[in-house]
Amino acid sequence: MKRIALFASGSGSNAEKIADYFADSTNVEITLVATNNPKAGVIERARRGFGRQTHVPVLVFDRTTFYETDRITELLQKQGIDLIVLAGFMWLMPGGLVQAFPNRIINIHPALLPKFGGKGMYGHFVHEAVVAANETESGITIHYVNERYDEGQIIFQASCPVLPTDSPEDVARNVQALEHRHYPRVVADVLQTMNY
Ligand code: GAR
């Protein structure tokens, strides 16, 4: 059994797509949903359950626990987590956690990195910046996570056009459609390539 920990800070639509994708799998399990946000929509989604998995444990943690202790890393190790999947998780991963899971943490970013990445470039801010820069395309980047925002090795990108009349909301909608279409399959591909 391969075990995934999903980290999310917001609504969790990507987390849900990934969990749905593996819901009937006999060799991949969503072992844990983790969030820094007690009001995150992902909590309710996890409690409702994903497919056959009727209840997925949710871990809510605060900044002090995440950055100043090893408790999250230890818990993930104890649970035998193989892959940490960030799905709209907005905090930088601490160094100790990155080192404990080398090439075992992946993230999705709602733009074509290296453009529109880095601190402060997340969620809606990214789409606003893309429109303000008169870009003709945007898209998604799925990448390994290191100790710097959005700089890990790129695994997959997909693009969509940005029209001169598009608002940030239009871009967000098109980018999210790409995320939902590709992220679950890329997670499956990464699991396949991992050596045990
Ligand atoms: C997604 O668009 C994801 O790419 C973005 O947050 C959104 C979460 O949506 N992530 C980042 O900006 C990370 N820097 P969701 O909660 O509906 O999955």
Side-chain angles (χ1 to χ4, degrees), residues 5-19 30 32-50 55-61 85-89:
L6 285 172
F7 277 58
S9 302
S11 92
S13 74
N14 279 284
E16 182 157 30
K17 290 284 175 199
I18 292 164
I30 307 303
L32 179 72
V33 168
T35 184
N36 59 304
N37 176 7
K39 295 190 176 140
V42 72
I43 297 175
E44 187 49 39
R45 291 186 202 250
R47 293 213 170 115
R48 278 203 307 270
F50 303 119
H55 176 79
V56 178
V58 177
L59 172 71
V60 183
F61 53 81
V85 176
L86 310 187
F89 183 65

Side-chain angles (χ1 to χ4, degrees), residues 111-166:
L112 295 171
L113 293 174
K115 283 183 164 183
F116 304 105
K119 192 166 164 56
M121 274 291 169
Y122 60 88
H124 201 70
F125 297 116
V126 176
H127 309 305
E128 282 175 353
V130 165
V131 168
N134 296 315
E135 293 290 310
T136 57
E137 64 169 8
S138 190
I140 63 170
T141 303
I142 298 167
H143 63 94
Y144 288 107
V145 169
N146 63 20
E147 291 168 47
R148 292 179 299 279
Y149 281 110
D150 305 323
E151 286 188 21
Q153 185 195 336
I154 292 174
I155 301 167
F156 176 86
Q157 292 187 300
S159 61
C160 57
V162 177
L163 305 178
T165 50
D166 276 350

Side-chain angles (χ1 to χ4, degrees), residues 1-4 18-30 50-53 188 191-192:
M1 180 65 74
K2 289 178 181 172
R3 298 174 197 279
I4 294 176
I18 292 164
D20 283 348
Y21 185 90
F22 294 111
D24 296 318
S25 166
T26 50
N27 55 11
V28 177
E29 170 191 272
I30 307 303
F50 303 119
R52 267 196 212 158
Q53 283 190 255
L191 284 171
Q192 285 282 335

